[in-house]
């Protein structure tokens, strides 16, 4: 083991010079991706120095920054945001790290079921999950609170969801699956010889996990942590539904209300000012991320020799492990899904009771075809196929340049790839929309499905590159060197060696981006027109109109349809690359 | 101002509207009869219908409560009435200011707006009107059922629905004798931490016409001190129906109507007066791609058939149209109408009031 680590520590990345057409193509694609990422971000930055609506004449001004920075409320919001994001990440790590290890590195049974459940959780719209948690933990009507009060004769409700910790808990549970998939690839491809050496030295499973598995997966865990920390800063639905009504604001809610005011017109410039604060936080996070991946060669574990991870036997701990996963899935899927089913069966949201059961009906399901039509299904299917494909192709290229080349400024390229995630979705969509409007004659995508596909493709490049980076770091250069010695070009190495080895991570990334694009609602709403209605916006609109049972019925149907899609994708994945 | 009839104003825009019709006549959309006599109502309607037929479709931003099904019901009824096969591309609006901002941005960029027809509150419509982005039209010259009460913003906006605003409550949780008797009762300590408050102030702006600005601000500060839960109208419905909260300081009539249709235990707190009445309007933005089809659609919404569809799907109708649910609801009530004349003449004053009240209520 020591020899392997020493070899890794003394290894130097080969220099890649863009001398052949293939590499020029890669370079050009990196630049194209960067252009499409940077342009909207620059538009947002520019808008933060203007007042009024996009396109209205306004001299450059610091008014938005003055309004944002000189208001003590902003700093209170900053504190709220940081606590919310930290709390969310703690919950995520608590569930995601053990889950990833259990499912990828141990002999825990029913792995396919766990993996499908993890992916399935994302198809339940976040705002419906948030409502479910309100029904469960509200001090007034929370079912859990009612049960505990009755069981223990308590004088008041033990739980109150309307605080930072309630928000963090719900958001953390909801964001665990993406973290799982980002970390799982690292665990899956871990070199078994290190674990075997640990066991041979007499270490237990837990000690091996703490001393071997955990440190080896650290880049993936840090990458996931930073990624989801930024995500938690940006997400709107949980803070909007649970925090804002109780006047607990975070930056995402401030930005949302600045762009969707109930009074006056949207203040995109002020939203841009808030967005810059989020951007700075995100860039700070990415700085630490780069420091980690600069040390990435220490963590290479997939070599050309004996790569086939062996599973850890759980033995007597198997029951405990299954219980842990069951608790998580109860929180993430079963409880919210049951609530969703319940909401879809009643004429309006109400707490289950004997009287409420008499009102159960399937009428909401029968209304779905009237509300949906065919177009949103078709648009959503196209989005789910095209956006992740574009995103993953560019992610692979960008990650390869960043991790494998010595091109100057490659870490800047990775920073660029991370930018879309650092910018709040609403602002990103507003900027794209304005650019598409301004350059409608040259690039006619305004109001089309293409602009939503483009927005999602760009937005999730950050997720794609994080996933590929994490997996690419672990593939030893031996393999590329061997191929190059045999006369293979860099492009050939990328397509014939790297891509197949990354198959699992690429497919995971593709699938996940597909599901994220399916669920994404804020950009789709901002970019919507009569011709690009998506299922996510349809559900959101039903919810916004107060048609919660219909939204729930559509949500339940989508869970089943996408459940089928996931099973199909997994079977395909097994055939093509031997599983996800 | 109690039940003041909205009045006509803005001769300049009316002139522009007339001039615009002349331009249309020249362009052949409304061809003149050659002897400079204004075409009669009977002649102009078929021409408008023919122009709409050629346009073929309407892109419409409407309230999300209309739903795609309601939108199709509307266009089907319009097509049946006029022998057309127009297609309605409906986009639900979840935030009216965002729709206004989009239309303004598009027109300022020299582009056709995404929407041929927009459905907005009167405050939001005022923002399009003050920038000159509403296309005026001679509604009464073609549609004899369109009354003066329904025409605003210098012929640019048509009043489609009158929205009543009152406190509402969960009928399972509060006995009628315990209900607030007047607006001021909402700030009683009894309702501390037990209220839902809407994140809108338009109705408080209406009430300030009676109360005065100072009393209104004071009232809203006290309402804020009740530590309420702030919510949008649909969410108020959910929070109340689920029993999480028993009383909402205000709710608009469309949601109460839909709640009743669905059997939710929600009702108005009756007897609180005056009842602020807000105006929901439709208009055709300038540069619209299908203006004639859009006008036909807007005008159709004021017919009894159109009003019936709006009422069925959204709980919205106009009290100025006899026989509608709104007309029945408004009968005998002390209504507080929006002062449209003041809004048209001085929209900035209303915007300032909105901001001031939002600040006092803590929703800004």
């Amino acid at each position: 083991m020591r020899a392997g680590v020493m070899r890794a520590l003394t290894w130097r990345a080969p220099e890649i010079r863009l001398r052949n057409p293939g590499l020029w193509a890669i370079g050009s694609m990196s630049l194209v991706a960067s252009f499409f990422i940077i342009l909207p971000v620059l538009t947002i930055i520019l808008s933060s120095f203007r007042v009024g609506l996009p396109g209205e004449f306004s001299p450059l001004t610091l008014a938005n920054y003055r309004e944002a920075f000189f208001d003590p409320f902003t700093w209170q919001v900053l504190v709220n945001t940081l606590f919310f994001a930290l709390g969310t990440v703690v919950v995520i790590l608590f569930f995601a790290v053990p889950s990833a290890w259990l499912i990828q590195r141990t002999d825990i049974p029913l792995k396919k079921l766990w993996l499908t459940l993890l992916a399935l959780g994302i198809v339940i719209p976040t705002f419906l999950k948030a409502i479910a948690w309100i029904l469960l933990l509200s001090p007034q009507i929370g079912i859990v609170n009612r049960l505990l009060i009755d069981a223990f004769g308590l004088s008041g409700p033990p739980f109150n969801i309307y605080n930072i910790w309630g928000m963090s808990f719900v958001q953390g549970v909801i964001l665990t699956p993406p973290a799982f998939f980002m970390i799982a690839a690292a665990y899956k491809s871990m070199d078994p010889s290190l674990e075997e050496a640990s066991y041979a030295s007499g270490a237990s499973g837990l000690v091996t996990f703490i001393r071997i598995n955990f440190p080896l997966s650290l880049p993936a865990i840090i990458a996931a942590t930073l990624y989801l920390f930024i995500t938690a800063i940006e997400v709107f639905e949980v803070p909007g539904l649970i925090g804002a009504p109780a006047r607990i604001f975070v930056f995402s809610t401030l930005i949302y209300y600045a762009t969707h005011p109930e009074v006056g017109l949207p203040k995109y410039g002020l939203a841009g000012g808030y967005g810059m604060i989020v951007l700075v936080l995100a860039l700070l996070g990415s700085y630490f991320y780069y420091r980690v991946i600069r040390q990435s060669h220490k963590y290479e574990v997939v070599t050309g020799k004996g790569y086939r991870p062996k599973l850890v036997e759980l033995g007597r701990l198997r029951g405990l492990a299954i219980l842990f996963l069951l608790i998580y899935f109860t929180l993430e899927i079963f409880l919210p899904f049951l609530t969703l089913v319940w909401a879809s069966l009643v004429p309006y949201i109400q707490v289950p009771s004997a009287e409420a059961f008499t009102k159960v009906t399937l009428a909401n399901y029968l209304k779905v075809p009237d509300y949906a039509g065919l177009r949103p299904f078709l648009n959503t299917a196209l989005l789910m196929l095209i956006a992740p494909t574009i995103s993953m192709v560019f992610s692979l290229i960008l990650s390869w340049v960043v991790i494998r080349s010595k091109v100057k400024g490659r870490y800047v390229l990775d920073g660029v790839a991370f930018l879309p995630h650092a910018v709040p979705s609403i602002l990103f969509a507003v900027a794209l929309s304005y650019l598409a409007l301004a350059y409608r004659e040259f690039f006619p995508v305004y109001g089309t499905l293409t602009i939503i596909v483009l927005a999602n493709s760009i937005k999730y490049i950050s997720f794609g590159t994080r996933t590929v980076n994490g997996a690419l770091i672990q593939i030893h250069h031996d393999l590329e060197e061997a191929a190059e010695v045999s006369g293979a070009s860099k492009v050939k190495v990328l397509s014939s060696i790297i891509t197949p080895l990354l198959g699992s991570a690429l497919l995971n990334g593709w699938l996940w981006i597909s599901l994220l694009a399916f669920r994404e609602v804020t950009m789709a709403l901002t970019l919507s027109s009569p011709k690009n209605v998506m299922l996510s916006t349809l559900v959101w609109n039903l919810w916004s109109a107060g048609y919660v049972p219909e939204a729930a019925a559509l949500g339940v149907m989508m869970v089943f349809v996408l459940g089928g899609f996931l099973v199909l994708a997994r079977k395909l994945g097994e055939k093509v690359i031997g599983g996800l | 101002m109690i039940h003041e009839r909205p009045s006509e104003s803005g001769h300049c825009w009316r002139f522009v509207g007339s001039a615009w019709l002349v331009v249309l006549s020249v362009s052949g959309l409304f061809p003149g009869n050659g002897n400079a006599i204004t075409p009669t109502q009977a002649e102009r309607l078929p021409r408008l219908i023919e122009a709409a037929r050629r346009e073929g479709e309407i892109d419409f931003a409407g309230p999300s409560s209309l739903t795609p099904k309601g939108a199709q019901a509307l266009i089907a009824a319009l097509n049946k009435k006029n022998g057309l096969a127009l297609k309605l591309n409906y986009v639900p609006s979840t935030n009216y200011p965002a729709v206004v901002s989009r239309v303004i941005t598009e027109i300022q960029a020299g582009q056709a707006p995404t929407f041929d027809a927009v459905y907005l509150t009167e405050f939001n419509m005022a923002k399009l009107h003050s920038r000159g982005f509403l296309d005026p039209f001679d509604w009464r010259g073609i549609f004899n059922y369109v009354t003066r009460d329904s025409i605003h913003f210098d012929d640019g906006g048509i009043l489609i629905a009158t929205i009543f605003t009152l406190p509402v409550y969960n009928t399972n949780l509060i006995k009628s004798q315990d209900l607030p008797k007047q607006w001021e009762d909402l700030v009683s300590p009894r309702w501390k931490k037990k209220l839902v408050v809407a994140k809108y102030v338009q109705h408080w702006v209406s009430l300030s016409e009676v109360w005065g600005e100072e009393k209104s601000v004071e009232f809203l500060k006290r309402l804020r001190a009740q530590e309420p839960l702030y919510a949008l109208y649909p969410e108020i419905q959910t929070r109340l129906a689920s029993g999480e909260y028993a009383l909402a300081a205000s709710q608009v009539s469309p949601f109460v109507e839909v709640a009743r249709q669905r059997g939710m235990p929600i009702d108005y707190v009756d007897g609180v007066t005056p009842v602020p009445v807000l105006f929901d309007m439709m208009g055709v933005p300038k540069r619209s791609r299908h203006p004639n089809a859009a006008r036909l659609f807007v005008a159709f919404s004021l017919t009894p058939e159109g009003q019936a569809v709006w009422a069925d799907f959204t709980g919205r109708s106009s009290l100025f149209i006899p026989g509608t649910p709104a007309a029945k609801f408004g009968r005998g009530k002390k209504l507080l109408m929006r002062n449209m004349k003041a809004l048209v003449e001085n929209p900035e004053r209303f915007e300032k009031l909105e901001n001031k009240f939002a600040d006092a209520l803590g929703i800004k």
Side-chain angles (χ1 to χ4, degrees):
Chain A
M1 180 175 76
R2 185 170 292 274
V5 172
M6 286 306 292
R7 189 182 61 230
L9 284 171
T10 53
W11 181 86
R12 286 171 66 86
E15 193 166 348
I16 296 173
R17 293 189 181 87
L18 301 179
R19 279 181 184 154
N20 65 49
L23 289 177
W24 269 112
I26 290 172
S28 307
M29 287 177 80
S30 302
L31 288 177
V32 166
S34 305
F35 176 76
F36 276 103
I37 291 168
I38 289 172
L39 201 58
V41 175
L42 285 179
T43 307
I44 296 168
I45 294 172
L46 190 64
S47 79
S48 72
F49 291 102
R50 291 189 189 281
V51 291
L53 297 174
E56 275 185 336
F57 174 76
S58 150
L60 293 178
T61 171
L62 288 172
N64 297 313
Y65 288 95
R66 270 200 299 274
E67 187 172 346
F69 287 105
F70 290 118
D71 187 347
F73 183 63
T74 305
W75 303 108
Q76 176 59 50
V77 169
L78 178 65
V79 172
N80 288 348
T81 306
L82 289 175
F83 274 115
F84 170 64
L86 283 172
T88 300
V89 165
V90 168
V91 175
I92 290 171
L93 291 179
F94 176 78
F95 287 115
V97 175
S99 302
W101 180 72
L102 284 171
I103 294 173
Q104 297 293 15
R105 299 297 299 122
T106 74
D107 63 346
I108 196 166
L110 304 170
K111 286 187 180 184
K112 283 184 185 171
L113 174 71
W114 306 128
L115 284 169
T116 306
L117 284 175
L118 271 162
L120 205 58
I122 198 173
V123 303
I124 305 174
T126 302
F127 63 90
L128 291 176
K129 282 184 186 169
I131 294 170
W133 279 106
I134 289 170
L135 288 176
L136 290 165
L137 292 183
S138 157
Q140 283 84 13
I141 53 162
I143 297 167
V144 173
N145 278 328
R146 292 289 122 200
L147 287 174
L148 290 174
I149 288 170
D150 292 346
F152 300 104
L154 303 174
S155 58
F159 297 111
N160 181 3
I161 198 169
Y162 295 114
N163 53 49
I164 291 270
W165 311 119
M167 291 158 60
S168 301
F169 169 74
V170 174
Q171 194 64 66
V173 168
I174 290 171
L175 283 178
T176 294
F180 170 89
F181 284 108
M182 291 176 94
I183 297 165
Y187 279 117
K188 189 171 185 183
S189 50
M190 209 164 266
D191 189 342
S193 64
L194 305 172
E195 283 171 330
E196 281 163 14
S198 172
Y199 288 124
S201 313
S204 67
L206 188 65
V207 170
T208 304
F209 172 74
I210 293 169
R211 293 211 172 153
I212 304 293
N213 300 126
F214 186 74
L216 282 174
S217 60
L218 209 53
I221 291 172
I222 292 174
T225 302
L226 289 168
Y227 185 88
L228 292 160
F229 180 81
I230 305 302
T231 306
I233 289 175
E234 197 222 5
V235 288
F236 168 72
E237 286 129 308
V238 170
L241 276 167
I242 299 175
R247 297 195 54 73
I248 301 168
F249 292 99
V250 294
F251 275 118
S252 65
T253 39
L254 275 198
I255 289 169
Y256 182 85
Y257 292 126
T259 55
H260 292 75
E262 301 310 332
V263 174
L265 282 173
K267 291 181 173 178
Y268 295 112
L270 181 61
Y274 293 136
M276 288 305 106
I277 299 174
V278 173
L279 190 66
V280 168
L281 287 176
L283 292 179
L284 211 62
S286 61
Y287 166 75
F288 291 110
Y289 171 78
Y290 299 132
R291 287 191 61 164
V292 172
I293 65 165
R294 271 173 193 272
Q295 305 295 317
S296 61
H297 54 270
K298 289 180 188 171
Y299 301 93
E300 289 163 344
V301 286
V302 180
T303 67
K305 306 153 208 141
Y307 164 57
R308 199 66 270 180
K310 184 190 161 194
L311 299 180
V312 176
E313 288 174 15
L314 284 171
R316 281 176 302 173
L317 293 175
R318 182 179 288 197
L320 205 62
I322 292 174
L323 183 67
F324 176 81
L325 290 179
L326 277 177
I327 288 173
Y328 171 69
F329 286 116
T330 302
L331 298 173
E332 155 69 353
I333 294 187
F334 302 143
L335 280 177
F337 186 66
L338 278 177
T339 312
L340 191 63
V341 171
W342 170 249
S344 73
L345 292 172
V346 285
Y348 56 89
I349 284 266
Q350 52 200 298
V351 178
S353 65
E355 194 202 337
F357 272 101
T358 62
K359 295 176 185 164
V360 166
T361 170
L362 287 173
N364 299 315
Y365 287 89
L366 301 176
K367 290 179 199 165
V368 165
D370 294 333
Y371 290 126
L374 195 62
R375 196 168 206 163
F377 286 94
L378 195 65
N379 286 344
T380 306
L382 286 171
L383 173 73
M384 289 179 71
L385 288 174
I386 302 171
T389 307
I390 296 174
S391 220
M392 287 313 290
V393 167
F394 281 109
S395 296
L396 176 62
I397 290 167
L398 290 169
S399 290
W400 186 71
V401 172
V402 170
I403 304 290
R404 282 302 200 246
S405 80
K406 281 191 77 178
V407 174
K408 278 184 184 169
R410 60 190 184 280
Y411 288 107
V412 174
L413 199 61
D414 197 45
V416 169
F418 195 64
L419 267 181
H421 190 60
V423 176
S425 296
I426 296 171
L427 292 178
F428 195 74
V430 168
L432 262 186
S433 175
Y434 179 66
L435 286 170
L437 180 67
Y439 300 102
R440 204 175 193 173
E441 279 153 30
F442 308 101
F443 196 53
V445 295
Y446 186 77
T448 64
L449 177 63
T450 309
I451 195 166
I452 295 184
V453 170
L454 191 66
N456 280 277
S457 305
I458 300 170
K459 185 74 188 169
Y460 295 122
I461 279 181
S462 48
F463 181 86
T465 47
R466 291 329 87 176
T467 307
V468 180
N469 282 356
L472 201 54
I473 282 166
Q474 296 193 315
I475 297 176
H476 201 281
H477 292 75
D478 277 0
L479 303 167
E480 286 151 277
E481 284 172 336
E484 281 174 32
V485 167
S486 313
S489 68
K490 294 285 179 198
V491 176
K492 182 78 178 167
V493 169
L494 178 62
S495 61
S496 302
I497 307 288
I498 303 292
T499 305
L501 279 173
L502 289 175
S504 173
L506 288 177
L507 194 56
N508 259 332
W510 186 93
L511 196 59
W512 202 254
I513 291 174
S514 181
L515 293 173
L516 287 171
F518 157 79
R519 194 173 73 162
E520 203 291 320
V521 71
T522 46
M523 290 196 299
L525 275 174
T526 307
L527 298 167
S528 70
S529 81
K531 293 171 184 69
N532 61 14
V533 180
M534 314 300 293
L535 271 178
S536 60
T537 52
L538 193 71
V539 176
W540 178 266
N541 287 327
L542 283 172
W543 151 256
S544 302
Y547 287 77
V548 179
E550 287 85 350
L554 190 55
V556 170
M557 289 167 79
M558 285 180 343
V559 170
F560 282 109
V561 171
L562 283 168
F565 167 76
L566 277 172
V567 171
L568 204 70
R570 294 205 170 280
K571 283 205 182 301
L572 198 70
E574 277 170 18
K575 266 191 180 174
V576 178
I577 55 160
L580 290 170
Chain B
M1 181 193 60
I2 306 296
H3 206 133
E4 177 187 299
R5 282 188 147 215
S7 65
E8 298 293 300
S9 69
H11 298 288
C12 175
W13 273 114
R14 199 168 299 138
F15 168 76
V16 172
S18 311
W20 175 85
L21 278 172
V22 171
V23 171
L24 282 185
S25 300
V26 172
S27 70
L29 204 53
F30 288 103
N33 57 10
N35 55 7
I37 294 172
T38 309
T40 64
Q41 212 169 41
E43 286 170 324
R44 291 169 70 189
L45 181 60
R47 289 176 192 170
L48 181 68
I49 291 172
E50 189 46 40
R53 187 194 309 280
R54 284 199 295 272
E55 290 170 354
E57 60 183 325
I58 308 156
D59 293 323
F60 171 53
S64 49
S65 55
L66 178 61
T67 73
K69 189 182 178 187
Q72 291 322 307
L74 263 180
I75 200 67
L78 180 150
N79 283 336
K80 188 178 170 192
K81 187 181 174 85
N82 296 293
L84 288 167
L86 295 178
K87 190 178 163 203
L88 184 69
N89 303 313
Y90 156 73
V91 173
S93 314
T94 48
N95 183 266
Y96 290 146
V99 172
V100 172
S101 144
R102 185 171 184 164
V103 171
I104 292 172
T105 304
E106 288 168 341
I107 295 177
Q108 276 176 342
Q111 305 283 350
T114 298
F115 307 114
D116 301 313
V118 288
Y119 186 107
L120 300 167
T121 61
E122 74 281 47
F123 273 28
N124 286 296
M125 199 63 94
K127 285 159 193 149
L128 287 182
H129 174 256
S130 64
R131 287 170 168 81
F133 288 169
L134 283 176
D135 228 346
F137 187 65
D138 179 18
W139 302 97
R140 282 170 54 76
I142 293 190
F143 306 102
N144 55 12
Y145 55 83
V146 177
T147 60
R148 287 193 185 280
D149 294 318
S150 303
I151 303 176
H152 298 280
F153 296 118
D154 306 316
D155 299 333
I158 293 291
L159 194 159
I160 301 296
T162 41
I163 310 296
F164 307 101
T165 314
L166 275 170
V168 292
Y169 71 110
N170 182 314
T171 52
N172 293 336
L173 299 177
I174 308 180
K175 291 176 188 160
S176 54
Q177 64 266 28
D178 297 331
L179 288 170
K181 303 286 182 287
Q182 51 185 349
W183 288 104
E184 288 84 345
D185 292 346
L186 291 168
V187 293
S188 145
R190 184 171 171 206
W191 303 112
K192 195 168 177 82
K193 293 187 178 181
K194 291 177 183 169
L195 267 179
V196 189
V197 164
K199 291 180 186 169
Y200 306 91
V201 293
Q202 287 90 338
H203 52 292
W204 304 124
V205 172
S206 290
L207 277 171
S208 73
E209 302 267 325
V210 179
W211 289 353
E213 212 174 301
E214 203 176 319
K215 182 186 169 183
S216 301
V217 169
E218 188 52 35
F219 171 82
L220 292 175
K221 282 182 180 169
R222 290 179 66 193
L223 199 56
R224 179 185 187 171
Q226 295 282 60
E227 296 178 43
L229 183 118
Y230 294 94
L232 301 176
Y233 292 135
E235 198 184 346
I236 289 177
Q237 189 169 292
T238 308
R239 305 269 184 181
L240 244 57
S242 66
E244 192 179 11
Y245 282 80
L247 180 67
S250 59
Q251 175 64 299
V252 286
S253 48
F255 287 96
V256 185
E257 296 306 320
V258 171
R260 283 171 165 176
Q261 283 171 20
R262 291 177 164 238
M264 294 182 191
I266 294 177
D267 207 348
Y268 298 105
V269 177
D270 226 1
V272 171
T273 60
V275 181
V277 181
L278 313 177
F279 291 174
D280 274 8
M281 304 202 158
M282 280 170 77
V284 179
K286 285 236 161 113
R287 290 174 180 266
S288 156
R289 276 172 298 192
H290 313 108
N292 296 294
R295 285 174 199 129
L296 202 59
F297 177 60
V298 170
F300 175 76
S301 293
L302 283 184
T303 62
E305 303 97 300
Q307 285 281 301
V309 178
W310 277 106
D312 278 353
F313 282 89
T314 69
R316 290 167 163 87
S317 59
S318 169
L319 68 79
F320 297 111
I321 298 172
T324 59
K328 287 172 195 159
F329 181 85
R331 201 171 297 144
K333 287 198 170 57
K334 193 176 175 187
L335 303 176
L336 179 59
M337 295 290 184
R338 167 74 68 227
N339 184 343
M340 287 301 290
K341 186 180 174 193
L343 178 62
V344 170
E345 285 173 355
N346 193 358
E348 294 81 15
R349 181 184 149 245
F350 284 83
E351 215 165 311
K352 275 182 194 157
L353 275 181
E354 269 195 297
N355 282 313
K356 192 172 184 179
F357 290 177
D359 212 16
L361 190 57
I363 58 165
K364 195 174 174 188

